[in-house]
Amino acid sequence: MDSSLPLLVAVLGAVLGGGLLGWSFRRASQSPALGAGIGAVAGVFGVGLFMAPLNFCTFEADRTTADNVFGVLLIAAGFLLIVLPVRWVALRLAAGQRLIGAQSTPGAFKGTVLPWLFLLPTLTVLVLFLYYPSFDTFRLSTLLARLGTPRTAFVCVNNYTRLIADTSYLNSLVLTLLISAAIVVIGLVLSLTVANFAYQPIKGAKIYRALLVWPYAISPAVAGVIFLILFNPTGGIINYFLGSLFNLKIPWLNDPAFAPWAIILASVWKSMGYNILFYLAGLQNVPNDLLEAAAIDGANALQRFVRIVVPMLSPITFFLVITNMTYAFFDTFGTIDYLTGGGPLSSTTTLMYRIYQVGIRNNDLGKASAESIILFVLVIGLTYLQFRGGERRVSYGA
Amino acid sequence: MLKFKTLVVALLALLAVVPAFAQDAVDVKVWIAFTDAGRLGWAQERAAEFNALFPQYNVTVEGYANYEELFAATALAAEQNSLPAIVQYFEVATQDARDSGYFKSIAEALGDRTEVNGQAFNLDDIIGPVAAYYTLDGQFTSMPWNTSSAIWFSNMTILNAAGVDAPPATWDEVEAACEKVMALDSAPEYCFTFPNHGWFFEQWLAQQNAEFANNGNGRDARATEVTFASDAGVAVLAWLDDMAQKGYLYYSGAQGGASWSTVDQAFSSQQVAMTAYSSSDTAVYTQVGVDNGFEVLASFLPYNDDTGWTGNLIGGASLWLVNGLAAEVEDGALTFLAFMTNTENAATWHQTTGYIAIRTSANELLAGEGWFETNPNFSVAADQLATSTVTSATRGAILGAFPAIRNVVTAAVDTVLLTDSAPADVLAQAQADANVILEEYNLLNAE
């Protein structure tokens, strides 16, 4: 590595940050010099956010091109992470606006000390058990570290860049997206259908509704055990019935073509209760006069459902897509662990399950940390995309 | 009102007594990787007996779901300085246990003593293969407790119906028996199965006198490379692949710790006629036959006809003494270790589970009672080990990150059984992957 590189990058950060904020301040009719000053400082901190702790290791002489590219990306990401929030804060402050929206609602706290005091217990817990471990994950992800081994070794960004060439990781990534999409789509379609039936005014509807919700109350591990008994290829109940009815035997758990479907079915069943609950509540908010008007205009039941009920439920569907996505990414772990253990042929090794295999089963904390940070960024990105894309199509009513 | 008063008095009395008890007895915590009533329960009963015998100690036994979880819990406890006095580590974690620095060897803790608090260790009484495994650099390192070997269980009711009189002893005999079994009108779904656990690959490798790792299987010096992708290793995978393609071998798709229960289910529901398994469950497997009306016969694990049989290795786990304990806790822990593995307890532990009775005296005691004559299945594992030739291959490999490397091996078996890939290629790739893991482990741990 050229020893002048850190200086060069810092100057670049200062110039870019100063330029961006100077320009922003001028457009907002504020002093460009002040903006440029703040921007330059923020820019230096930004480019150094990841690189300073890493000591610019990605640009050492014996590093691969992938490492260099990753280093540039890290510099850019750090720059944006610092400069953009600073720009927002600086512009508001310069314009004399408060940072937190004006609190004129009745019953809101007037001072600043008391509300923070009330927030303190929650913040303490969050910092100790969520934020600190998260930051430590970043540090761990640059190490070769094993559980039960006191010594560690710094490996720069190897834990990240090695994944580019790791086909099993890429398979796992694609698989996770496919399984998640299937769980969300199949789960929501089935739930809406069932909720619509359960919503009909029939005798004992309340009992049906209660029974439909209870799978949600079962832990993923118990669901895994139930489906293990159902799907078992040799002695399972499902194959027993398929065998006696159609003379069919499906190798649910020991064939890579079927095992993901076993996971999807079990997960859908598990999350359906939750989805149905929300759809039942949503159905009660669909105005009856709209449906009656449509009926008078000659729309049949299917048309009324597709044209009126489904659009009216879009806020709930949007909410459920995000919760189900998160469920599919993180909470299918228990079901996978009991049902397939990630196999056969890694056909049910989702990214989340892989992190467990690498970090706990193989004790490789560094690699597992790197993979969990990638998963974290991935889920944030997906949620952001959903918010961007979803908001336009969601109708929150008049 | 009177009742309420009595209750308050009783509570106060209890509060006064409890701390007094706690102050007197030295706490000795034991962590083991069993949660079932048979094994955790047995250990807790021994702890209760021990506490009654030695009121100055309070031994508590806590169970963890499996070896891996216990391993993780131990590492975390070490970081927080809250290690118990005794931890159970499975045999392949032996190198990790040594490198961790958490533990002290039994020999070192004993020093010149041969007994603690009147409880004799009699380390010479421990049977050969077991003592050989846990003797490292000439020192008795950890206390063996649950020791098993891989053996073969046959449903003789099915085999006899197919005209097979005795369990197969070799791979060719397995195939011949399977041919007959699967020709039955009432043939089971598959002929045999095995748990896809790294241990079985290691057993079949050792039988052919092939080492798993270099430097004398890691016994002469720290292992720096694994060598399992040898002809012997490929032969194991090729045989399993051949049996699967002929429709004889049932593979449940489960790997590692999860594989045991899938085999239990297939054997007890008679979906298969034979299986490889650990002798640790001899009691359960024998009883399954009694409960479901078929005869279960245990025998040596079948071996490769082409290379012959050298011997089999042990499995199971041992009890490690934590380093840096207060003197009275260490003495309490040593006393309990000696008590828990004494002749009587070694014998009842064997009878309850099927793990080998690790003491010569315990085997003599059992033989004297006629136990092996009435329960022939229970002598198979001990006989298999006793007739094994001790070589560096059959003593078993000692290497770092072995649990992670096992996962690489089971994934290779999985790939061979479920795809058309050639066993030699798959195993060569697995060996390369395992070597990366071992290299990284040694980077952090080698002096």
Side-chain angles (χ1 to χ4, degrees):
Chain A
M1 182 184 73
D2 195 347
S3 60
S4 65
L5 185 74
L7 188 70
L8 196 75
V9 172
V11 170
L12 187 75
V15 170
L16 280 178
L20 179 72
L21 258 76
W23 179 72
S24 301
F25 268 56
R26 213 168 83 172
R27 281 197 35 169
S29 319
Q30 304 286 342
S31 153
L34 178 68
I38 298 172
V41 175
V44 172
F45 273 104
V47 292
L49 179 67
F50 296 115
M51 269 305 130
L54 287 176
N55 206 12
F56 287 85
C57 68
T58 53
F59 302 106
E60 281 162 0
D62 54 346
R63 288 282 153 188
T64 62
T65 321
D67 290 337
N68 301 154
V69 173
F70 195 76
V72 173
L73 287 177
L74 277 180
I75 291 176
F79 179 79
L80 294 176
L81 268 177
I82 295 286
V83 171
L84 291 185
V86 165
R87 174 174 169 267
W88 185 82
V89 169
L91 278 174
R92 280 191 82 114
L93 286 180
Q97 288 169 315
R98 295 186 54 167
L99 284 182
I100 300 163
Q103 297 283 8
S104 57
T105 355
F109 290 109
K110 290 237 165 58
T112 45
V113 179
L114 199 60
W116 283 108
L117 199 68
F118 283 133
L119 283 175
L120 196 65
T122 312
L123 286 176
T124 315
V125 170
L126 281 178
V127 167
L128 277 180
F129 294 105
L130 205 65
Y131 301 147
Y132 167 67
S134 310
F135 281 114
D136 211 43
T137 308
F138 279 97
R139 187 183 62 83
L140 264 180
S141 73
T142 62
L143 299 177
L144 181 62
R146 297 181 58 82
L147 202 57
T149 303
R151 237 189 296 168
T152 56
F154 180 69
V155 292
C156 195
V157 293
N158 286 4
N159 287 338
Y160 293 93
T161 45
R162 60 178 273 282
L163 294 174
I164 298 170
D166 189 342
T167 48
S168 73
Y169 185 76
L170 299 176
N171 285 342
S172 184
L173 176 68
V174 173
L175 179 87
T176 308
L177 294 176
L178 289 178
I179 286 187
S180 302
I183 290 176
V184 172
V185 172
I186 298 174
L188 291 189
V189 169
L190 275 180
S191 303
L192 182 55
T193 316
V194 173
N196 198 46
F197 284 129
Y199 185 61
Q200 306 305 323
I202 44 165
K203 233 181 183 178
K206 280 185 178 164
I207 298 170
Y208 290 130
R209 283 177 215 166
L211 287 178
L212 284 170
V213 171
W214 72 260
Y216 177 59
I218 291 179
S219 86
V222 174
V225 173
I226 292 175
F227 278 90
L228 186 64
I229 297 166
L230 289 174
F231 280 124
N232 195 297
T234 56
I237 300 166
I238 292 182
N239 269 0
Y240 175 78
F241 281 114
L242 285 178
S244 45
L245 288 176
F246 311 109
N247 201 18
L248 196 67
K249 275 192 93 107
I250 296 178
W252 288 106
L253 302 179
N254 50 0
D255 186 319
F258 293 103
W261 287 103
I263 299 293
I264 291 168
L265 291 179
S267 304
V268 164
W269 177 82
K270 175 78 188 66
S271 61
M272 258 176 80
Y274 181 79
N275 298 339
I276 289 173
L277 197 67
F278 275 85
Y279 273 133
L280 279 174
L283 284 169
Q284 285 168 0
N285 290 330
V286 177
N288 256 330
D289 42 352
L290 264 181
L291 293 171
E292 277 166 23
I296 291 165
D297 285 344
N300 63 27
L302 184 68
Q303 284 170 326
R304 276 177 312 205
F305 181 72
V306 175
R307 298 283 173 82
I308 296 174
V309 174
V310 172
M312 292 297 285
L313 286 175
S314 60
I316 297 211
T317 305
F318 179 57
F319 165 77
L320 287 177
V321 165
I322 291 180
T323 50
N324 275 262
M325 198 81 185
T326 322
Y327 167 80
F329 266 95
F330 296 110
D331 294 342
T332 46
F333 174 83
T335 311
I336 294 174
D337 195 37
Y338 275 88
L339 214 47
T340 59
L345 280 183
S346 302
S347 61
T348 57
T349 305
T350 59
L351 289 178
M352 185 66 204
Y353 198 75
R354 216 185 117 94
I355 291 168
Y356 163 76
Q357 286 186 328
V358 174
I360 302 297
R361 301 263 309 277
N362 290 353
N363 281 328
D364 205 329
L365 296 181
K367 293 191 182 73
S369 298
E371 291 189 16
S372 73
I373 283 173
I374 295 176
L375 181 62
F376 171 70
V377 171
L378 199 73
V379 170
I380 288 191
L382 277 176
T383 314
Y384 176 74
L385 282 181
Q386 283 166 351
F387 266 99
R388 288 257 326 241
E391 221 133 73
R392 260 179 266 134
R393 270 173 235 118
V394 171
S395 147
Y396 286 97
Chain B
M1 204 57 214
L2 187 75
K3 266 188 183 167
F4 178 72
K5 253 185 198 167
T6 330
L7 196 69
V8 170
V9 170
L11 267 176
L12 285 175
L14 203 66
L15 282 175
V17 169
V18 168
F21 259 121
Q23 273 165 8
D24 281 347
V26 173
D27 274 321
V28 177
K29 293 200 177 96
V30 183
W31 288 359
I32 62 171
F34 300 129
T35 50
D36 52 309
R39 292 181 289 186
L40 176 62
W42 184 90
Q44 284 171 337
E45 280 166 29
R46 296 297 83 74
E49 282 174 21
F50 179 84
N51 290 339
L53 218 55
F54 298 92
Q56 67 267 43
Y57 299 119
N58 177 34
V59 174
T60 46
V61 182
E62 203 178 322
Y64 284 80
N66 51 50
Y67 293 129
E68 286 88 353
E69 255 177 51
L70 178 55
F71 186 91
T74 306
L76 293 175
E79 283 191 6
Q80 295 156 6
N81 280 325
S82 58
L83 281 171
I86 296 169
V87 185
Q88 184 193 23
Y89 263 41
F90 57 153
E91 86 286 26
V92 290
T94 297
Q95 183 68 43
D96 294 45
R98 290 170 85 194
D99 289 333
S100 71
Y102 306 153
F103 306 109
K104 190 176 194 175
S105 84
I106 300 283
E108 191 191 333
L110 278 178
D112 298 334
R113 294 179 289 182
T114 54
E115 57 172 55
V116 186
N117 287 320
Q119 294 290 309
F121 266 82
N122 289 337
L123 292 176
D124 301 337
D125 188 27
I126 305 229
I127 60 173
V130 182
Y133 193 98
Y134 295 109
T135 301
L136 302 166
D137 302 334
Q139 257 201 353
F140 212 96
T141 306
S142 57
M143 197 64 199
W145 172 36
N146 54 319
T147 302
S148 55
S149 192
I151 57 173
W152 190 257
F153 288 97
S154 301
N155 180 332
M156 288 313 290
T157 311
I158 297 181
L159 290 194
N160 286 336
V164 183
D165 299 331
T170 68
W171 292 357
D172 285 350
E173 287 181 31
V174 169
E175 187 172 353
C178 283
E179 214 170 309
K180 290 182 182 163
V181 165
M182 297 312 283
L184 280 173
D185 287 336
S186 58
E189 251 174 279
Y190 294 92
C191 178
F192 74 100
T193 187
F194 79 108
N196 184 12
H197 188 286
W199 192 45
F200 289 89
F201 176 81
E202 291 151 30
Q203 294 282 356
W204 277 312
L205 203 62
Q207 283 186 335
Q208 307 179 60
N209 202 21
E211 289 174 359
F212 192 88
N214 68 353
N215 290 338
N217 240 352
R219 297 263 175 190
D220 302 335
R222 183 184 287 275
T224 54
E225 266 177 43
V226 290
T227 56
F228 57 73
S230 54
D231 289 346
V234 174
V236 176
L237 263 63
W239 174 61
L240 290 173
D241 193 26
D242 183 38
M243 290 297 101
Q245 278 177 13
K246 288 186 170 137
Y248 296 158
L249 171 65
Y250 164 61
Y251 173 47
S252 69
Q255 293 177 38
S259 62
W260 301 106
S261 63
T262 61
V263 171
D264 296 344
Q265 201 252 344
F267 188 76
S268 63
S269 60
Q270 306 196 55
Q271 312 279 350
V272 296
M274 300 178 283
T275 188
Y277 210 81
S278 167
S279 67
S280 62
D281 287 44
T282 303
V284 178
Y285 267 60
T286 309
Q287 188 59 37
V288 153
V290 175
D291 292 345
N292 294 287
F294 60 88
E295 188 200 341
V296 177
L297 196 59
S299 57
F300 287 9
L301 188 71
Y303 59 90
N304 185 355
D305 305 70
D306 299 338
T307 46
W309 183 75
T310 306
N312 279 81
L313 27 107
I314 69 158
S318 60
L319 299 166
W320 290 75
L321 182 70
V322 169
N323 201 2
L325 296 171
E328 68 269 23
V329 180
E330 188 175 292
D331 276 359
L334 283 172
T335 316
F336 182 63
L337 283 177
F339 172 79
M340 193 176 172
T341 56
N342 69 21
T343 303
E344 290 75 27
N345 285 334
T348 63
W349 173 243
H350 161 78
Q351 288 173 310
T352 317
T353 57
Y355 284 113
I356 292 156
I358 56 160
R359 288 187 181 276
T360 313
S361 59
N363 281 301
E364 284 164 0
L365 179 75
L366 288 163
E369 289 171 357
W371 165 259
F372 294 118
E373 279 158 37
T374 43
N375 300 283
N377 284 350
F378 280 74
S379 63
V380 172
D383 290 348
Q384 180 171 275
L385 289 178
T387 47
S388 292
T389 311
V390 177
T391 66
S392 57
T394 60
R395 270 182 87 190
I398 296 281
L399 68 154
F402 205 165
I405 289 170
R406 268 193 168 169
N407 294 337
V408 174
V409 172
T410 56
V413 174
D414 188 62
T415 307
V416 165
L417 292 182
L418 294 174
T419 66
D420 296 333
S421 315
D425 300 344
V426 175
L427 206 58
Q429 182 59 46
Q431 177 167 298
D433 293 346
N435 273 330
V436 172
I437 295 175
L438 183 59
E439 194 185 326
E440 290 182 348
Y441 177 93
N442 285 343
L443 189 72
L444 293 183
N445 288 286
E447 291 73 29

